[in-house]
Amino acid sequence: MTIIVTFVVLTVLGSYWWLWTHRVTEKPWLVEGIPEDHSKAREPYQASRTGLIIFLAVVTSLFSLFASAYFIRMQLDDWTPLAEPSLLWVNTGMLVLGSIVIQWASYCSGKEQLRNTQHALLATGFFTGCFIFGQLWVWQELVNNGFYIRSGPAVAFFYVITGLHMLHMFGGLWVWCRTTLNLWSGTELLEMKQSIQLCRTYWHYLLLVWMALFGLLLST
Amino acid sequence: MAQVALADSGQPLSHPRSFFTKYIWSQDHKVIAIQYGLTAISVGIVALVLSGMMRLQLGFPDTFSFIDPSEYLQFVTMHGMIMVIYLLTALFLGGFGNYLIPLMVGARDMVFPYLNMLSYWIYLLSVIILMTSFFVADGSTGAGWTLYPPQAISYGTPGSDFGIVLMLISLAVFIVAFTMGGLNYVTTVLQARTHGMTMMRLPLTVWGILTATVLGLLAFPALLVSAIMMTFDRLLGTSFFMPAMMSMGEQTDHDGGSPVLFQHLFWFFGHPEVYIVALPAFGIVSDLLSVHARKNIFGYRMMVWAIIGIGGLSFIVWAHHMYVSGMNPYFGFFFATTTLIIAVPTAIKVYNWVLTLWRGNIHFTVPMLFAIGFIFTFTHGGLTGIFLGNVVVDLPLSDTYFVVAHFHMVMGVSPILVVFGAIYHWFPKITGRMFNDTLGKLHFWGTFLGTYSIYLPMHYLGFLGVPRRYFAYEGIDFIPESALQLNSGITVAALFVAAVQLIFLVNMIWSVFKGKKADPNPWNATTLEWLTPQTPPEHGNWGPELPRVYRWAYAYSVPGAEKDFITQIEPPREDDTLGHPENERAT
């Protein structure tokens, strides 16, 4: 449980630090009036961004728990490591490319270059689709080689972890789909800018999660 | 760094026009709160009936032919899971969280109203899936609310075919619903507080709900991981948790799984879950005591720090539920230590509640009675928790009624008393009408004395070594006849408490339609939810302008003030020092 405990402790300490910066040591019964920094309005984007960050913390908790369970289960006698198919490297490359082009889409939307943004978003969808297709291909390859989900704990973990990661990619693709369709159907780029930025954050995050999971699978 | 977002972002709220969008498919946090509340209470009544059936069997064995051992285990399991997850968690966070957060922080609604609405409907779906399990071929699961493998999915355990699968799916769906709601609650508190509502001006109710939600967001994934892996073990034949074993005389297909791994994952969720239920109760009870004692909460800062301290510590105590699992004894030492440490901030809270009452102008209103009742039951349950936090005491008591008594006092009766107190307290705002005071007091005394009559004797049964989870106790040498008679008495008390709840239901239903019209602020409270232009508040809560907050939430009986409360929106007077010579002005 070291991984999840470490994550939670860091999150808790981060929250305490945030509270510290928000005057949690103040004696509220001694202070009246409206502090100056409370009269500034924030953009709605900040709520979405905060919501996304909290959601990513929840997802991190989920994958940390799987990683913890993986290590605990690995220590038992029946564990036989799985030789990861080399196609995973190609898939990882696709996800990296997806992340790069969505960064490009975000950059172009900032510069208000509609055409480039549209193309970059399409490229993001293409590379992400390739990643998912590749992951499914890996599953097929494992099945062809006789590695079914009940063949052993390492194989079962592989299917579950990669499946969950793909499920989160699908969630991202749903938002990507809405954003891209809106952009192609004539919605102002300025309106979609926030959505593109949130997608970018999500893509980078899922790339990081995949890197961590891939590292975990390769190292065991 | 310290700046606050405003709810008035310029985005217009879409006001629903049809009955369907106003009351059914509603995005208004107040309607969603009521939907959550009614669903949770309805499913809670199912769980209450199940507990009544269990008590009938224990109190009067061989009397009721419709209760057999399998059904008894199913009742135990469903009662526990419904009460902890589908009633208490949903009611405190989905119900009170939804209703109170936007009102108390001065927002027009949750920041993601559509997601909020989805959260309720997905919660309802999880409840429906769970209820469906009563009607499948082998009935609901009888694995115990902790769902420990291997027995949870082994043949022979009631509900091991479909019941357990429906339970696991229902839990997974619930977690999705909770995550949607939870994102809303936290983001709304962080991003949609009104002008002047600093973090340290938040009422403790909001602090409790906020911290509990953060715990839920981080801890519920552990239950989701357990549910996914156990579903795979059950349906696809994996061996995450299932060891090699014989079942019905045959070797099963499973091999090498670790049941203790499940226990770690389950309790990594399970212990924070205690605080997911307790922290909102702590927050609410603090506000009830302060309002009805006409006195500021004692040690507000310490109360906030205690809430967030308990929240942090709750993640490193989980294995005190596993002392009997055969884990490394050094772990036991570590977890016993952390468990005793978490008692410190908890005790601070209890002291501060009592000190809030000390020399207060106590109004023995119905909400106040429930709040004071909570102090008794929670202290009682908390102290027995310190017993059980020690390994050497826990080992002999772990499988006895002492544990049943402990967790019902601390996690059953105590939060439920707060739920009732909170419903009575905010009923006038929610419905615009007052409840019947006499019926409310009858309800309190019946519930308070009745639950004590149930659980106090259970501690004694635990000391006698009477094991929990058993269908019947006849013929067990070390259990004296008097213990069996005590069981009958407990059953009578349990049926009495169940009957008393009818008073509550009658009172609520009658008062909604026929109760006296309520003042907007009948308790003379200071916090924002009482200061809405309309009672009950309309969609959008605040009219054209958001409220502006000038002071903390506990300005009661301020020396020199005209009234015994100063609302949060009352601008400071030039000569106003709130009785504190060192008082500052922020602007």
Side-chain angles (χ1 to χ4, degrees):
Chain A
M1 300 295 276
T2 314
I3 295 173
I4 182 62
V5 171
T6 307
F7 167 69
V8 167
V9 167
L10 290 176
T11 309
V12 168
L13 292 177
S15 310
Y16 288 175
W17 175 81
W18 186 90
L19 289 169
W20 179 265
T21 63
H22 283 68
R23 299 193 293 238
V24 79
T25 52
E26 171 184 276
K27 296 176 179 174
W29 55 92
L30 297 181
V31 184
E32 282 187 331
I34 300 179
E36 263 181 42
D37 51 4
H38 275 251
S39 39
K40 294 176 192 165
R42 275 189 181 178
E43 294 174 18
Y45 169 59
Q46 285 182 301
S48 305
R49 202 181 60 152
T50 305
L52 179 64
I53 291 169
I54 296 165
F55 178 66
L56 297 186
V58 177
V59 178
T60 310
S61 177
L62 182 75
F63 282 108
S64 303
L65 282 153
F66 267 112
S68 290
Y70 187 88
F71 278 115
I72 292 175
R73 186 67 182 79
M74 218 179 91
Q75 290 162 9
L76 299 178
D77 295 338
D78 65 329
W79 185 272
T80 313
L82 174 72
E84 284 77 21
S86 51
L87 186 57
L88 288 175
W89 287 101
V90 179
N91 296 347
T92 307
M94 290 294 134
L95 203 56
V96 171
L97 288 174
S99 220
I100 290 170
V101 288
I102 204 165
Q103 181 66 38
W104 176 244
S106 173
Y107 174 79
C108 292
S109 70
K111 297 279 179 191
E112 296 183 23
Q113 299 167 349
L114 176 65
R115 209 70 191 156
N116 285 345
T117 310
Q118 286 173 327
H119 289 151
L121 278 177
L122 280 184
T124 304
F126 172 76
F127 288 123
T128 310
C130 285
F131 171 78
I132 290 174
F133 182 76
Q135 294 291 78
L136 293 172
W137 192 309
V138 167
W139 281 13
Q140 186 61 46
E141 203 176 298
L142 286 174
V143 170
N144 291 343
N145 291 326
F147 291 107
Y148 302 102
I149 194 162
R150 58 198 302 174
S151 300
V155 189
F157 265 110
F158 182 85
Y159 281 116
V160 173
I161 289 175
T162 52
L164 264 180
H165 184 262
M166 269 193 280
L167 202 63
H168 284 85
M169 290 267 40
F170 278 120
L173 279 176
W174 182 67
V175 180
W176 165 86
C177 208
R178 276 179 46 186
T179 310
T180 309
L181 284 176
N182 280 335
L183 216 52
W184 282 87
S185 61
T187 312
E188 285 290 317
L189 179 58
L190 203 61
E191 280 181 48
M192 302 316 297
K193 194 173 140 188
Q194 297 166 359
S195 187
I196 295 168
Q197 287 173 350
L198 295 175
C199 280
R200 178 200 61 191
T201 307
Y202 191 66
W203 250 255
H204 292 343
Y205 169 78
L206 281 185
L207 173 65
L208 278 178
V209 169
W210 172 248
M211 297 275 201
L213 294 176
F214 193 31
L216 175 76
L217 294 169
L218 284 177
S219 64
T220 51
Chain B
M1 280 307 296
Q3 61 172 9
V4 72
L6 304 176
D8 262 358
S9 60
Q11 283 187 325
L13 284 172
S14 59
H15 289 286
R17 294 178 194 283
S18 71
F19 177 85
F20 185 74
T21 51
K22 202 169 177 183
Y23 297 109
I24 311 291
W25 194 247
S26 172
Q27 296 184 33
D28 184 344
H29 70 100
K30 299 179 291 296
V31 177
I32 295 169
I34 292 167
Q35 290 173 326
Y36 254 113
L38 291 178
T39 309
I41 289 171
S42 304
V43 77
I45 290 172
V46 174
L48 184 72
V49 170
L50 293 176
S51 65
M53 307 273 262
M54 283 146 52
R55 284 313 318 175
L56 283 178
Q57 165 57 30
L58 293 174
F60 307 101
D62 301 328
T63 310
F64 302 98
S65 57
F66 55 88
I67 307 172
D68 65 24
S70 289
E71 284 166 340
Y72 177 80
L73 292 174
Q74 290 169 322
F75 297 161
V76 171
T77 306
M78 295 297 276
H79 165 80
M81 195 61 94
I82 290 172
M83 287 297 195
V84 172
I85 306 279
Y86 298 87
L87 170 67
L88 287 173
T89 306
L91 189 53
F92 272 122
L93 301 182
F96 292 113
N98 251 314
Y99 199 90
L100 295 174
I101 287 175
L103 284 169
M104 283 184 154
V105 306
R108 297 204 178 280
D109 207 319
M110 290 289 180
V111 289
F112 310 121
Y114 186 78
L115 201 63
N116 202 25
M117 176 184 70
L118 279 186
S119 162
Y120 167 71
W121 289 102
I122 295 176
Y123 162 64
L124 182 64
L125 176 66
S126 74
V127 170
I128 292 170
I129 295 172
L130 188 72
M131 292 298 111
T132 308
S133 74
F134 281 115
F135 305 103
V136 293
D138 56 343
S140 56
T141 177
W145 91 275
T146 52
L147 307 180
Y148 278 2
Q151 103 281 359
I153 55 175
S154 298
Y155 291 106
T157 302
S160 62
D161 277 339
F162 301 109
I164 183 69
V165 176
L166 287 170
M167 169 68 87
L168 295 170
I169 292 172
S170 169
L171 286 173
V173 173
F174 178 89
I175 293 163
V176 172
F178 173 80
T179 305
M180 289 176 163
L183 289 176
N184 254 309
Y185 314 149
V186 177
T187 313
T188 302
V189 175
L190 298 187
Q191 292 288 345
R193 302 190 310 280
T194 190
H195 301 266
M197 181 59 89
T198 63
M199 292 299 286
M200 291 305 272
R201 286 179 179 171
L202 289 172
L204 287 166
T205 296
V206 177
W207 273 107
I209 293 172
L210 170 70
T211 313
T213 307
V214 173
L215 297 193
L217 288 171
L218 295 174
F220 266 115
L223 185 62
L224 182 61
V225 169
S226 321
I228 291 172
M229 287 162 71
M230 196 192 277
T231 309
F232 275 54
D233 276 5
R234 170 66 190 81
L235 296 180
L236 301 178
T238 55
S239 297
F240 291 115
F241 303 132
M242 291 297 281
M245 57 184 267
M246 301 289 286
S247 175
M248 303 299 205
E250 288 181 14
Q251 175 81 36
T252 63
D253 292 336
H254 300 287
D255 188 21
S258 168
V260 175
L261 169 59
F262 177 87
Q263 293 190 26
H264 277 296
L265 291 173
F266 182 85
W267 287 113
F268 191 80
F269 144 77
H271 198 80
E273 170 62 23
V274 173
Y275 292 101
I276 290 167
V277 170
L279 291 180
F282 290 173
I284 289 171
V285 90
S286 304
D287 284 350
L288 298 194
L289 290 170
S290 181
V291 171
H292 296 277
R294 314 308 298 157
K295 197 174 156 209
N296 63 284
I297 190 75
F298 188 90
Y300 173 82
R301 282 198 309 172
M302 202 58 87
M303 294 297 251
V304 170
W305 298 345
I307 285 176
I308 57 180
I310 290 168
L313 286 168
S314 72
F315 281 106
I316 49 169
V317 296
W318 80 88
H320 69 214
H321 296 274
M322 297 167 58
Y323 290 153
V324 292
S325 70
M327 65 183 187
N328 187 319
Y330 286 110
F331 284 176
F333 174 74
F334 172 79
F335 284 106
T337 307
T338 53
T339 302
L340 297 186
I341 289 172
I342 207 170
V344 175
T346 313
I348 286 173
K349 297 195 78 67
V350 176
Y351 289 130
N352 284 2
W353 290 323
V354 175
L355 289 167
T356 301
L357 293 175
W358 177 251
R359 304 188 71 179
N361 178 13
I362 297 175
H363 294 204
F364 284 107
T365 58
V366 178
M368 185 61 150
L369 289 175
F370 278 99
I372 294 173
F374 163 85
I375 298 178
F376 280 92
T377 57
F378 182 75
T379 306
H380 190 136
L383 287 173
T384 53
I386 293 175
F387 284 36
L388 294 169
N390 291 283
V391 183
V392 288
V393 184
D394 181 76
L395 291 182
L397 289 176
S398 177
D399 203 27
T400 71
Y401 265 88
F402 190 86
V403 172
V404 180
H406 157 68
F407 70 67
H408 275 91
M409 285 304 275
V410 81
M411 209 194 163
V413 177
S414 300
I416 283 291
L417 289 181
V418 177
V419 163
F420 286 133
I423 291 175
Y424 284 113
H425 183 73
W426 280 292
F427 185 84
K429 180 54 65 177
I430 296 169
T431 64
R433 294 190 183 261
M434 293 304 290
F435 53 85
N436 182 295
D437 203 54
T438 309
L439 288 179
K441 284 177 178 166
L442 266 179
H443 175 223
F444 167 74
W445 285 110
T447 305
F448 181 71
L449 296 177
T451 47
Y452 252 107
S453 310
I454 299 170
Y455 297 110
L456 208 55
M458 274 193 198
H459 293 83
Y460 173 66
L461 289 181
F463 281 136
L464 285 178
V466 176
R468 57 192 173 121
R469 306 193 185 97
Y470 279 32
F471 172 69
Y473 295 98
E474 286 73 24
I476 300 176
D477 289 342
F478 70 88
I479 299 178
E481 181 62 27
S482 61
L484 302 181
Q485 288 166 354
L486 202 52
N487 250 339
S488 305
I490 291 172
T491 296
V492 171
L495 295 176
F496 170 73
V497 170
V500 165
Q501 305 319 306
L502 291 174
I503 299 175
F504 168 72
L505 291 177
V506 167
N507 193 1
M508 292 295 109
I509 294 167
W510 182 85
S511 302
V512 165
F513 298 104
K514 300 283 182 188
K516 197 180 81 176
K517 289 264 184 198
D519 291 335
N521 187 4
W523 312 119
N524 292 335
T526 60
T527 42
L528 296 185
E529 80 274 21
W530 299 104
L531 309 171
T532 54
Q534 292 91 20
T535 298
E538 288 186 348
H539 188 212
N541 297 339
W542 302 109
E545 291 280 324
L546 283 181
R548 300 172 74 83
V549 171
Y550 296 96
R551 57 169 54 75
W552 73 325
Y554 299 98
Y556 291 103
S557 304
V558 176
E562 290 168 13
K563 295 177 291 184
D564 73 345
F565 70 108
I566 307 175
T567 64
Q568 286 193 283
I569 62 170
E570 205 165 312
R573 294 186 326 225
E574 281 305 308
D575 60 335
D576 188 2
T577 57
L578 292 181
H580 298 284
E582 50 178 321
N583 187 18
E584 303 165 8
R585 281 277 152 72
T587 55

